[in-house]
Amino acid sequence: MTQPTPPRTDVPAIEIAGLYKRFGDNEVLKGIDLTVKAGQVVCVIGPSGSGKSTLLRCVNRLEEPTSGQIRVEGIDILDPEIDLDKVRARIGMVFQSFNLFPHLTVLRNLTISQRRVLGRSKGEAEEIARANLERVGLSDKIDAYPAHLSGGQQQRAAIARSLSMSPDMMLFDEPTSALDPELVGDVLDVMRALADSGMTMMVVTHEMGFAREVGDELVFMDDGMIVEEGNPRDVLANPRHDRTRAFLAKVL
Amino acid sequence: MRRTTRRRLTRGAMYALFVAAIGLIAMAADWERLRRVFFQLDVAREQFPEIVTIAAKNTVLFTVISFSGGLVLGVTLALMKLSPVLPYRWLATVYIEVFRGLPALLTIFGIAYVLPIAFGVRAPGGSVGAGLVALIMVAGAYIAEIVRAGIQGVPKGQSEAARSLGMSPARTMFFIVLPQAFRIVIPPITNEFVLLVKDTSLLFIAGSTLLTKEITTFSRDAVSTSGNATPLVMGGMLYLLITIPLTRLVAVLERRMAKTR
Ligand SMILES: Nc1ncnc2c1ncn2[C@@H]1O[C@H](COP(=O)(O)OP(=O)(O)OP(=O)(O)O)[C@@H](O)[C@H]1O
Ligand SMILES: [Mg+2]
């Protein structure tokens, strides 16, 4: 029985309340409240150092929050009793620097955690891997090593790797920031198709076009706080706060 | 054009100097005496087959044993040193500092003679066994530091990616971090292996029998019985016959693996 249970839709996918995070004396998140509903695409923008990555990394506890609450599909993930690995297996994460495993072929990158974490058989894992590589347009790279892929291909392979775990939601941390401009489009296309398929997504990005067209919700962060939040078109066209306006004036 | 000419001239002059130096040394040396002391064919012939079937075999065997043991111990110590558990870290640090700091000779001596007297325990395999245990302990300390540096040389994003896919810390270490660390440590580990080949010559301090002699001990004993230094030259050549093909092999292996990086 390896068929993944379908994502829950009766509770929010991600519910963050009163989240604080400090690195030593540096308070990076200062009371974040944010809800991502199942099937929603929430984009997070904001200046460098505003805490976007830290917020995202708290959601799968790559970063340990100082205080506050985070619920993923209704489960309190800060509960010390929780099986964190199980929670993480349901949350895909895509990094700015791809982080493919360089010692494994693309296929093995996609199958290793299916087999070791989900206990899928070799045949099943490879079948799922193939399907996801096809989805991101990389079927011909199945036996290549990551070093032989372009940045854009690596990032699409990384997305396929996360998808192969059949996650209920995906977190993206500036997935296109490390890419040459001409490679950004392919990755964004994959993400757009993923959003269209109904995947719950939380996306830290500088791609305002993507945020406007694909996002259901846009969150502007500055200095560890959510300054403004709303429909992407509204926020981008009529920012209500000065800080949002100043930021958008710089990036648009 | 002028620049290449000048370069060619300089290179020519350097060759000439080199050849002249070799020639001078060759002429100054007393070849007849060298041959008599170091290259006696009949003395050389007498060393066979034992210098291969006993001495070289033992050197290789002892190296493989102490390296394998040292590798297991070293990886364990490296994991301890990187463990979140403070007493483990502490224990590993003390161990590594002590056995890297002591001369290997002293450690072998201690294990072979002091331990049996102090605790009445003997290492398995008699005196060579005790010596090998000591070599494993020393190699473990060095390899631990090599492996620790290798593990820390794997980018943090790798374990973060593995953890975010749901892999446990142990699986992350085993399937993702260690294989990559392994590539990083190939050059320093090869170095350690070569050092171990030579360190097996220290085993004599634990005492050796006819059958447990390695190359150095065998050659030295052969020198005293034959009154001629030829066995030393043979021993030296045997060491090179072991180490040079090995380092070449590793270089090839490394180049192969670089392709997937
Ligand atoms: N592991 C860490 N240790 C100490 N400080 C950290 C750590 N990670 C992040 N910080 C600090 O937290 C603050 C927010 O960092 P974060 O990476 O979340 O910002 P960001 O909004 O993602 O910025 P960018 O757009 O540059 O990626 C920064 O001041 C950073 O220096
Ligand atoms: Mg960031």
Side-chain angles (χ1 to χ4, degrees):
Chain A
M1 174 62 201
T2 49
Q3 200 57 33
T5 49
R8 291 183 61 174
T9 48
D10 53 329
V11 287
I14 304 169
E15 240 180 322
I16 302 168
L19 179 66
Y20 285 81
K21 171 65 183 174
R22 239 191 334 263
F23 290 109
D25 291 340
N26 185 11
E27 186 140 75
V28 173
L29 297 178
K30 306 170 181 172
I32 301 281
D33 300 290
L34 180 67
T35 300
V36 180
K37 291 190 213 119
Q40 239 187 355
V41 177
V42 172
C43 293
V44 181
I45 60 171
S48 181
S50 56
K52 308 180 296 291
S53 297
T54 307
L55 172 61
L56 209 63
R57 290 161 59 85
C58 280
V59 173
N60 66 356
R61 268 180 69 188
L62 281 185
E63 227 59 86
E64 209 60 50
T66 307
S67 67
Q69 267 214 348
I70 302 175
R71 288 178 177 278
V72 171
E73 299 187 310
I75 300 166
D76 175 9
I77 65 154
L78 301 182
D79 180 352
E81 300 288 299
I82 203 114
D83 183 348
L84 195 54
D85 293 336
K86 266 213 181 100
V87 175
R88 282 174 171 156
R90 306 182 69 119
I91 309 175
M93 180 137 192
V94 176
F95 300 85
Q96 182 174 348
S97 50
F98 329 133
N99 295 347
L100 286 175
F101 306 132
H103 61 302
L104 304 177
T105 62
V106 168
L107 180 65
R108 289 261 290 138
N109 262 277
L110 270 63
T111 54
I112 187 162
S113 52
Q114 291 189 65
R115 301 203 55 204
R116 302 291 169 197
V117 177
L118 302 179
R120 286 177 181 160
S121 71
K122 186 166 188 234
E124 189 184 8
E126 291 188 349
E127 196 179 314
I128 291 170
R130 272 175 224 286
N132 281 303
L133 281 178
E134 171 137 28
R135 200 168 168 184
V136 302
L138 283 180
S139 296
D140 54 328
K141 299 293 182 193
I142 189 158
D143 292 320
Y145 281 92
H148 296 161
L149 305 184
S150 73
Q153 290 170 335
Q154 286 191 47
Q155 191 59 298
R156 284 184 282 145
I159 293 173
R161 176 175 68 181
S162 286
L163 289 177
S164 295
M165 295 295 285
S166 318
D168 294 350
M169 64 198 73
M170 293 274 286
L171 311 176
F172 293 85
D173 191 359
E174 301 196 28
T176 59
S177 292
L179 299 179
D180 291 337
E182 73 270 19
L183 301 176
V184 169
D186 288 343
V187 173
L188 290 182
D189 287 344
V190 166
M191 291 170 61
R192 190 170 290 130
L194 193 57
D196 289 343
S197 76
M199 176 62 77
T200 308
M201 292 163 65
M202 193 166 160
V203 186
V204 173
T205 186
H206 291 302
E207 297 290 332
M208 297 303 157
F210 178 87
R212 179 171 21 230
E213 288 152 33
V214 182
D216 299 305
E217 187 84 4
L218 183 64
V219 172
F220 172 67
M221 276 182 74
D222 193 11
D223 195 25
M225 287 177 286
I226 293 180
V227 175
E228 187 162 349
E229 170 177 11
N231 180 293
R233 287 168 200 280
D234 295 345
V235 175
L236 291 173
N238 306 302
R240 274 175 290 136
H241 284 78
D242 290 343
R243 281 198 275 178
T244 320
R245 217 168 289 139
F247 175 74
L248 290 177
K250 253 186 261 170
V251 299
L252 285 182
Chain B
M1 185 63 207
R2 268 194 58 212
R3 200 141 132 229
T4 54
T5 325
R6 199 187 316 152
R7 200 179 302 153
R8 211 172 291 153
L9 274 175
T10 328
R11 203 180 303 156
M14 273 156 67
Y15 274 131
L17 206 71
F18 181 70
V19 170
I22 297 277
L24 221 69
I25 293 171
M27 280 197 301
D30 184 342
W31 285 104
E32 182 43 34
R33 218 164 87 209
L34 276 176
R35 201 197 57 75
R36 256 199 333 270
V37 179
F38 289 102
F39 299 97
Q40 287 276 8
L41 263 184
D42 50 328
V43 177
R45 230 176 272 122
E46 273 167 34
Q47 308 313 320
F48 285 101
E50 286 83 1
I51 197 166
V52 175
T53 56
I54 294 178
K57 186 209 82 184
N58 279 340
T59 292
V60 171
L61 183 70
F62 296 162
T63 307
V64 168
I65 289 174
S66 45
F67 181 76
S68 314
L71 196 63
V72 173
L73 181 61
V75 171
T76 310
L77 284 166
L79 292 176
M80 282 171 71
K81 196 160 180 188
L82 295 171
S83 151
V85 186
L86 188 69
Y88 283 177
R89 282 209 302 271
W90 198 81
L91 209 69
T93 307
V94 170
Y95 180 96
I96 292 167
E97 292 305 325
V98 167
F99 286 101
R100 262 198 328 178
L102 289 175
L105 199 68
L106 207 64
T107 306
I108 295 173
F109 189 79
I111 302 286
Y113 295 105
V114 179
L115 277 192
I117 294 170
F119 303 105
V121 288
R122 290 200 143 274
S127 52
V128 173
L132 284 174
V133 168
L135 266 191
I136 288 173
M137 290 171 70
V138 175
Y142 282 98
I143 292 175
E145 278 301 276
I146 295 172
V147 171
R148 180 195 55 76
I151 289 174
Q152 289 180 322
V154 177
K156 212 159 153 256
Q158 288 293 311
S159 45
E160 287 184 348
R163 296 307 305 280
S164 67
L165 287 163
M167 285 197 214
S168 65
R171 284 187 177 129
T172 299
M173 182 55 75
F174 195 75
F175 294 111
I176 304 302
V177 178
L178 278 182
Q180 293 184 59
F182 176 70
R183 294 182 182 197
I184 298 175
V185 304
I186 287 177
I189 282 270
T190 310
N191 198 35
E192 175 62 23
F193 191 93
V194 171
L195 289 177
L196 264 180
V197 172
K198 297 179 288 178
D199 276 356
T200 53
S201 65
L202 301 174
L203 287 170
F204 79 91
I205 196 77
S208 53
T209 66
L210 202 61
L211 286 176
T212 63
K213 287 179 187 174
E214 31 59 50
I215 296 172
T216 300
T217 312
F218 184 95
S219 306
R220 284 201 325 186
D221 292 354
V223 167
S224 35
T225 48
S226 69
N228 183 275
T230 304
L232 279 187
V233 176
M234 298 170 71
M237 278 169 19
L238 279 174
Y239 276 113
L240 295 184
L241 269 173
I242 295 169
T243 54
I244 292 176
L246 183 90
T247 51
R248 293 296 90 204
L249 190 78
V250 173
V252 171
L253 191 81
E254 224 186 327
R255 227 171 300 133
R256 285 250 175 91
M257 284 171 87
K259 284 186 190 149
T260 65
R261 207 170 286 182

